[in-house]
Amino acid sequence: MDTQLHFVPRHVRRKGKTPTTPIVALNSPEPGQQPPPDNQNDSSKQAGQTSSLTDQDVLVYIRLALSDYALSSEDTLKKTFLWNLRENDGWIPVNHILQRSVFLAQNMESEILTENRVIKALRSESTQSKYALEIRLQLSQDPSSSRSHVTSDTSRGAYEMKWRNREPGLNASEHDWAQKSLYLENIPVQHRNILGLFNFVRSMLSSTDVHLEAILFPANDNEYPSTKLKKCRGFAFVVLSNTSECLRLNELWPWTGVTTRVQETSLHQDATRFGFRTLLKTAYVEMEAQYLEHRQNLIAEIAAAEDAEFDRRLLGEGAPGGSESSLNEEKITDPDGVTTSNSPFPLDCLLFVRNVHPHTNKTTLRKLLTSCLPNDSLDTIDYVDYNKGMDTCYIRVPSPKHAHDVLMSFPATKVQKSGLDDVGGIDGQPIQLELVQGRKEELYWEKVPEKVRKSAVTKCLALLENGSEDSSILRRNVRQRKRRKV
């Protein structure tokens, strides 16, 4: 067949004259070949081809998303299950699981499950398994007749599912789950994901009948916003279906490293090479409490040492080596103590903050401390001098007026509930603000580079010259508000 394309320019083409050879598309197959698939009209097949999840992988995700632990811990999913248990004999729309499961939202990585993909996987599993899931088409009753028909509610999808051979248990308490929980550390790198860790635990127990209720990747307050997926960083919590399996895995891979396992496989060798070990959740909670107490004692010791150093230097003993303060040589010529061009640092522009959350950060503190000021007030604070793990910090402001505004506006009862809390609440140890003055103020600014000090003085003088309030009045107002006490 001649596949040559015939092209005749319009201005010389004769009317009614058509090519004698049929026009064939450039991508037409040769004789005897099958035509290529239509990718544009078959998006479902294309999605199935790009998915790397096997049917068994999909079943792992669905079983974890619909486990007793998930139904007990996820409020939205629990309400969905209880409503369907009461109104629909326990049948839950597959789409509701995909849309409302917190576990799937946090752990699906780059894969996106669809209803058709889940149904395909469920049809491939054995119906004899204790943890098998049953599926059916959703049927709704037509009020005008006695017939049932497939529902047209697109949000519910076309299929429903429920456990085939078991009844979900929702009566387990937090203490019950703790008895079945295990902390895993130094997980081999190739198993640091949901599917890998699921198969890893079952292999460590040498049983395919082991059922995992949950796999949890812990994170601190500053990680994993609501739109970010969780990642395994070498440690995780797993919740097993019974206590005996939990104790057996802990005996095989104890925290102390003294193992009772007999057979050695390549998987065991990898676990040994990475230093894999386990700890019961109850023991983990006790160890965490000891660690927090030890950390708090260290912070208290550091704070006490700093206070002692401050007091020693305030009494004029000088530095340990006998060196004197570089700022002592610079005289503040203004008798009222107002910042001038000769000032070594801006006066009354430093605040000391107590009782902040140890896991907070500079951005959160800036928003929290200016939350009661008018809009666009983030410029009220020049710099937040905060170190991770501490419950105190220093705040530099551009002028005494800014210090006065922060002190007057910040409530005396506001508490930072978490590391990312930039609004504040009540019920706890309230944040305390204090204006730093005198020798303590000098000692702080000594550690600040000279270039930064001069820049702060220049900015403060510009604000004082352009401000509507007299600097001496501001100084008196700030000193009246020097310390906030509950």
Side-chain angles (χ1 to χ4, degrees):
M1 179 183 296
D2 185 8
T3 59
Q4 180 181 0
L5 286 176
H6 293 270
F7 172 75
V8 181
R10 289 184 179 180
H11 65 282
V12 298
R13 185 178 58 189
R14 296 180 182 179
K15 293 183 178 181
K17 190 76 172 179
T18 57
T20 56
T21 306
I23 300 176
V24 183
L26 287 175
N27 59 352
S28 297
E30 295 296 331
Q33 294 182 350
Q34 296 293 332
D38 186 3
N39 293 333
Q40 295 180 352
N41 298 329
D42 194 1
S43 58
S44 61
K45 290 183 179 180
Q46 186 176 4
Q49 292 173 357
T50 58
S51 175
S52 59
L53 290 178
T54 64
D55 290 344
Q56 188 61 37
D57 295 339
V58 174
L59 291 177
V60 170
Y61 275 110
I62 294 301
R63 286 172 179 170
L64 290 174
L66 203 57
S67 67
D68 293 351
Y69 181 88
L71 293 176
S72 301
S73 59
E74 299 180 19
D75 292 337
T76 302
L77 195 62
K78 183 177 182 179
K79 292 178 182 178
T80 301
F81 174 79
L82 292 176
W83 187 91
N84 284 279
L85 184 64
R86 182 178 64 255
E87 304 291 338
N88 200 26
D89 195 25
W91 291 94
I92 306 177
V94 176
N95 271 358
H96 285 185
I97 301 297
L98 301 180
Q99 297 165 2
R100 303 176 185 181
S101 171
V102 176
F103 168 79
L104 292 179
Q106 293 178 342
N107 297 284
M108 275 310 298
E109 300 174 351
S110 60
E111 303 293 343
I112 300 177
L113 284 182
T114 62
E115 184 185 49
N116 290 337
R117 186 70 184 87
V118 173
I119 297 304
K120 177 179 178 294
L122 293 177
R123 285 173 174 167
S124 66
E125 74 169 335
S126 172
T127 59
Q128 303 300 322
S129 172
K130 177 182 177 181
Y131 297 99
L133 287 160
E134 189 176 359
I135 57 174
R136 74 173 186 182
L137 278 172
Q138 290 194 58
L139 300 178
S140 62
Q141 192 71 25
D142 189 349
S144 62
S145 67
S146 59
R147 293 185 177 182
S148 297
H149 62 278
V150 178
T151 180
S152 59
D153 186 355
T154 56
S155 65
R156 294 174 60 88
Y159 290 91
E160 298 173 322
M161 65 180 177
K162 72 173 183 178
W163 294 109
R164 180 185 296 271
N165 302 321
R166 62 185 294 268
E167 292 293 333
L170 302 179
N171 298 323
S173 63
E174 185 176 350
H175 175 74
D176 296 333
W177 290 122
Q179 299 296 321
K180 303 176 184 178
S181 301
L182 204 61
Y183 174 70
L184 312 182
E185 191 175 82
N186 300 330
I187 301 170
V189 65
Q190 63 270 30
H191 302 292
R192 293 179 183 180
N193 54 68
I194 293 294
L195 297 174
L197 190 54
F198 182 90
N199 295 322
F200 177 77
V201 171
R202 297 178 73 175
S203 299
M204 289 294 100
L205 291 171
S206 303
S207 173
T208 58
D209 296 330
V210 176
H211 178 68
L212 274 70
E213 291 286 340
I215 297 176
L216 308 173
F217 299 141
N220 60 38
D221 294 337
N222 297 332
E223 290 183 323
Y224 307 137
S226 57
T227 57
K228 190 175 181 180
L229 299 179
K230 289 192 173 184
K231 293 183 179 180
C232 178
R233 288 170 170 78
F235 49 90
F237 286 99
V238 294
V239 184
L240 300 175
S241 57
N242 58 69
T243 307
S244 60
E245 294 173 347
C246 184
L247 294 175
R248 186 160 68 92
L249 183 59
N250 181 242
E251 291 176 357
L252 291 173
W253 298 91
W255 187 257
T256 58
V258 181
T259 179
T260 60
R261 61 185 181 275
V262 178
Q263 53 179 321
E264 287 286 343
T265 64
S266 59
L267 194 63
H268 290 118
Q269 294 174 0
D270 287 341
T272 302
R273 181 164 56 90
F274 278 88
F276 175 70
R277 57 181 182 172
T278 66
L279 185 67
L280 296 175
K281 178 67 178 294
T282 52
Y284 175 88
V285 172
E286 295 177 0
M287 185 179 294
E288 183 183 33
Q290 294 174 1
Y291 164 76
L292 293 176
E293 182 181 1
H294 177 66
R295 187 186 69 172
Q296 191 61 35
N297 291 336
L298 290 179
I299 293 176
E301 291 177 5
I302 293 173
E306 290 181 348
D307 290 343
E309 177 68 13
F310 256 85
D311 295 340
R312 186 180 63 81
R313 298 181 68 179
L314 283 172
L315 294 176
E317 296 179 9
S323 62
E324 296 183 357
S325 168
S326 60
L327 296 183
N328 287 340
E329 301 175 357
E330 304 183 46
K331 303 300 182 182
I332 303 176
T333 58
D334 195 321
D336 293 332
V338 180
T339 303
T340 66
S341 58
N342 296 324
S343 299
F345 56 85
L347 298 175
D348 298 332
C349 296
L350 182 65
L351 299 175
F352 182 64
V353 186
R354 290 185 176 89
N355 302 330
V356 300
H357 198 280
H359 292 161
T360 190
N361 56 64
K362 297 180 180 181
T363 302
T364 301
L365 284 174
R366 182 187 295 269
K367 293 181 180 179
L368 176 64
L369 296 173
T370 58
S371 59
C372 297
L373 294 173
N375 295 333
D376 302 327
S377 58
L378 292 179
D379 292 338
T380 302
I381 296 178
D382 271 347
Y383 181 72
V384 179
D385 192 351
Y386 170 74
N387 292 321
K388 201 73 172 177
M390 302 295 290
D391 61 352
T392 60
C393 69
Y394 286 93
I395 303 296
R396 303 181 205 163
V397 295
S399 70
K401 180 181 185 305
H402 291 86
H404 175 263
D405 292 343
V406 173
L407 286 171
M408 293 296 295
S409 64
F410 196 81
T413 58
K414 181 169 288 191
V415 178
Q416 190 177 24
K417 307 295 288 186
S418 66
L420 297 180
D421 181 12
D422 57 3
V423 178
I426 56 176
D427 298 334
Q429 194 170 17
I431 295 175
Q432 296 180 4
L433 301 180
E434 175 187 349
L435 179 66
V436 182
Q437 293 178 315
R439 183 58 179 152
K440 287 186 177 181
E441 187 179 21
E442 293 180 19
L443 293 175
Y444 173 85
W445 284 103
E446 283 179 7
K447 303 177 182 179
V448 179
E450 182 180 0
K451 183 178 180 181
V452 177
R453 296 201 308 263
K454 289 183 176 180
S455 176
V457 170
T458 303
K459 184 175 182 179
C460 180
L461 290 175
L463 292 173
L464 289 176
E465 291 176 359
N466 298 330
S468 59
E469 298 188 40
D470 184 75
S471 58
S472 60
I473 297 176
L474 288 173
R475 182 175 176 81
R476 288 196 299 271
N477 290 340
V478 168
R479 286 193 170 182
Q480 292 174 1
R481 191 70 172 177
K482 178 177 179 181
R483 185 184 290 267
R484 300 289 306 268
K485 292 185 178 180
V486 182

